């Protein structure tokens, strides 16, 4: 009940009560004296009874009024003119909020209907979020009554299931610029009725619905639309001219639908097009020779493309993703040149299909990012990449390439990132001074071996090189004789990060990285690797991360304390039992010694790490419970975070393992006292045995002498 109604009811009740009292008094004066006196008594009793009833009724109504007001006082949060009532379990729009609020968040509640009252009270609203409710009814004209409304979010409701569609939908939205209708189970034919007129709408989301078809008139009421999101529907057909009513459309997301072919792409104004995660087998632009397409970003990943898409009409393209398809590149043009006009052979769409066109006017000359990963490419045709003079990022990983060649210095002059990992590369030919801008080269998980010694020497800007999972053997220093087929890693002045994990290396020669200021070096997973003295010479002043995990090392021939910048050291899964002594403060922060043969970490060797070490890994070592004073101090003082402290175990001699964290100093003292007592007992026993032996010997000698005297 509204407060006004409660006040009116109270007034009427008081009036009725007063009238009843007056009537009783008047009737009493018309009686005889005796009756009058009796009437006065009666009227007094009536007045008292009526007073009690009025007071009781007033109390009930006052409580109802307080309850009604309390019901409207929802615990919303307000900052300036923005109110958040998110996730409060509301069943209706609150009516007691300030009338001048500009933003109202009612998402995550249980609203089922949107009515003009009380929503119409908030005339200043610009942002209204009604997402994640159960809305199935919207009163006609409710949003039209909000003259300043610009952003409306109705995502994840039940608009398709309710009566909202039997009315004129959302009604006119004269000033709304952003509308989200995603996740409402909308199907084809209902969107047009729901949208209505929205002449100012710039952004529309119809994602995560059940649309199967876009009709020609679907978007006639939204002529200013610039961004349209249709991802995660079931679109199989787009009628010709469906986007003709959208001359300003720049961003279109059609990902995660069921489209199978784009045969006449003609949206010249479009700048961003996402067609990923469909079933597209071919992409071709409309045959309009004078068309000036603005498309700069095209995503065709996770489709069923058999050939490289036809992009001849897209000169402004800077991003192209065709990963996760079935693309195979042809080895060369068909014989006689007749196939140059046969796109079904996958030739005319390639960048080099028109040799008469110079590089600067090539349709892909502005391309910056090309992703061809996860396809079935066995070779890169000669000239395929040469016209891509602006390319900076190239991904050819996870294909079937057996070789990769860079023919000259003019080849991909702007390339900074090249990924050819996870192929079957057996050969790698890099011309002298090629790829002058390249900073990252990813070659992991190939079959590279016996490369030319100076394969990487010409990459003047190379900073990161990943050769994991190949068969590459580093040469020694400049003065060291190199093994046949080894690769030189010395003298690479720009290289900072090198990964040689799992390369079946047997020996790392002295000076292998001289004049190469590496900051990260990973030599893990090379079982039996012999790291000779001086193998890491020249890295003392630059190396920050060193990994030698899983090499079976029994002795470490690296003077680790000399590496002043070393911050992370991984020596896990070896057979080490000793470490070099860090007697001076260093920079080491993380030390991994898991699964080795360490029993003691003496303070004399680890003292220099106390100021820098932050994390220590020790699991899987036969630690001794006593004699590890430095380690015990770190555990109790908490200066070093020892990983898996609760799982660390140690032994008292040959006894069973116990948790290292449970060992107390007196346990070791008792053990020491037992050892002292044992030593005393053994010494006493030994001395006693010696005395008894000496006494027995003396007795025997005296007996012999006595016997000889007796015979004489």
């Amino acid at each position: 009940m509204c407060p006004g109604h409660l006040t009116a009811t109270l007034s009427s009740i008081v009036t009725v009560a007063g009238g009843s009292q007056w009537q009783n008094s008047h009737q009493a004066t018309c009686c005889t004296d005796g009756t009058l006196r009796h009437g006065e008594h009666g009227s007094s009793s009536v007045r008292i009874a009526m007073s009690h009833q009025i007071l009781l009724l007033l109390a009930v109504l006052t409580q109802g009024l307080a309850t009604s007001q309390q019901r409207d006082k929802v615990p919303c949060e307000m900052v300036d003119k923005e109110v958040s009532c998110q996730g409060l379990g509301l069943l209706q729009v609150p009516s007691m909020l300030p009338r001048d609020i500009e933003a109202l968040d009612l998402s995550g509640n249980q609203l089922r209907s949107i009515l003009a009252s009380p929503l119409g009270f908030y005339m200043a609203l610009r942002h209204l979020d009604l997402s994640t409710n159960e809305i199935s009814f919207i009163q006609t004209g409710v949003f039209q009554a909000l003259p300043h409304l610009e952003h409306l979010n109705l995502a994840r409701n039940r608009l398709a299931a309710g009566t909202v569609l039997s009315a004129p939908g959302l009604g006119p939205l004269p000033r709304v610029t952003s509308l989200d209708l995603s996740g409402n189970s909308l199907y084809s034919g209902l969107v047009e009725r729901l949208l209505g007129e929205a002449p100012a709408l710039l952004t529309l989301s119809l994602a995560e619905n059940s649309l199967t078809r876009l009709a020609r008139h679907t978007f006639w009421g939204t002529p200013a639309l610039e961004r349209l999101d249709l991802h995660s529907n079931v679109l199989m057909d787009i009628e010709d001219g469906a986007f003709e009513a959208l001359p300003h459309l720049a961003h279109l997301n059609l990902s995660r639908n069921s489209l199978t072919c784009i045969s006449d792409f003609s949206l010249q104004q479009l700048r961003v097009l996402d067609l990923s995660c469909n079933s597209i087998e071919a992409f071709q632009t409309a045959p309009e020779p004078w068309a000036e397409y603005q498309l700069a970003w095209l995503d065709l990943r996770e489709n069923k493309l058999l050939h490289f898409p036809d992009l001849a009409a897209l000169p402004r393209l800077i991003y192209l993703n065709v990963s996760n398809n079935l693309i195979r590149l042809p080895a060369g043009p068909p014989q006689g040149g007749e196939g140059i006009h046969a796109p079904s052979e996958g030739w005319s769409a390639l960048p080099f299909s028109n040799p008469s066109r110079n590089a600067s006017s090539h349709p892909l000359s502005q391309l910056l990012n090309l992703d061809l990963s996860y396809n079935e490419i066995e070779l890169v045709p000669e000239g395929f990449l040469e016209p891509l003079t602006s390319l900076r990022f190239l991904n050819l990983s996870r294909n079937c390439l057996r070789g990769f060649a860079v023919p000259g210095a003019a080849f991909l002059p702007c390339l900074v990132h090249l990924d050819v990992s996870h192929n079957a590369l057996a050969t790698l030919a890099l011309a002298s001074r090629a790829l002058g801008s390249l900073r990252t080269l990813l070659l992991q998980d190939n079959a590279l071996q016996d490369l030319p010694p100076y394969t990487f020497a010409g990459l003047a800007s190379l900073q990161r090189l990943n050769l994991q999972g190949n068969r590459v053997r580093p040469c020694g220093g400049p003065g060291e004789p190199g093994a046949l087929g080894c690769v030189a890693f010395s003298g690479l002045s720009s290289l900072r990060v090198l990964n040689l994990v799992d390369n079946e290396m047997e020996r790392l020669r002295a000076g292998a990285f001289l004049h190469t200021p590496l900051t990260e070096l990973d030599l893990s997973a090379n079982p039996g690797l012999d790291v000779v003295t001086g193998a890491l010479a020249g890295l003392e002043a630059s190396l920050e991360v060193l990994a030698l995990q899983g090499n079976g090392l029994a002795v470490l021939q690296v003077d680790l304390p000399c590496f002043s910048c070393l911050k992370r050291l991984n020596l896990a899964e070896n057979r080490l039992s000793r470490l070099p002594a860090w007697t001076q403060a260093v920079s080491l922060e993380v030390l991994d010694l898991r699964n080795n043969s360490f029993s003691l970490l003496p303070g004399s060797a680890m003292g220099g790490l106390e100021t820098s070490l932050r994390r220590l890994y020790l699991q899987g070592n036969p630690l001794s419970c006593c004699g590890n004073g430095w380690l015990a101090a770190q555990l109790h003082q908490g200066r070093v975070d020892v990983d898996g402290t609760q799982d660390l175990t140690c032994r008292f001699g040959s006894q069973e393992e116990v948790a290292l964290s449970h060992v107390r100093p007196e346990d070791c003292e008792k053990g020491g006292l037992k050892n002292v007592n044992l030593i005393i007992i053994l010494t006493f026993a030994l001395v006693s045995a010696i005395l008894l032996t000496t006494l027995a010997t003396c007795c025997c000698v005296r007996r012999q002498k006595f016997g000889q005297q007796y015979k004489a």
Side-chain angles (χ1 to χ4, degrees), residues 475-480 489-491 508-515 532-538:
C475 299
E480 293 285 328
F489 292 103
S490 60
L508 192 63
R509 291 175 167 77
F513 308 107
L514 276 175
H515 310 300
V532 305
T533 303
L536 303 183

Side-chain angles (χ1 to χ4, degrees), residues 68 106 570 651 666:
S68 175
L106 289 167
N570 187 350
R651 291 177 181 272
E666 52 267 27

Side-chain angles (χ1 to χ4, degrees), residues 205-218:
S205 177
L206 292 168
E208 300 175 3
N209 282 292
S210 303
L211 304 177
T212 58
R213 185 172 183 271
L214 293 180
R216 185 181 181 87
H217 58 282
T218 300

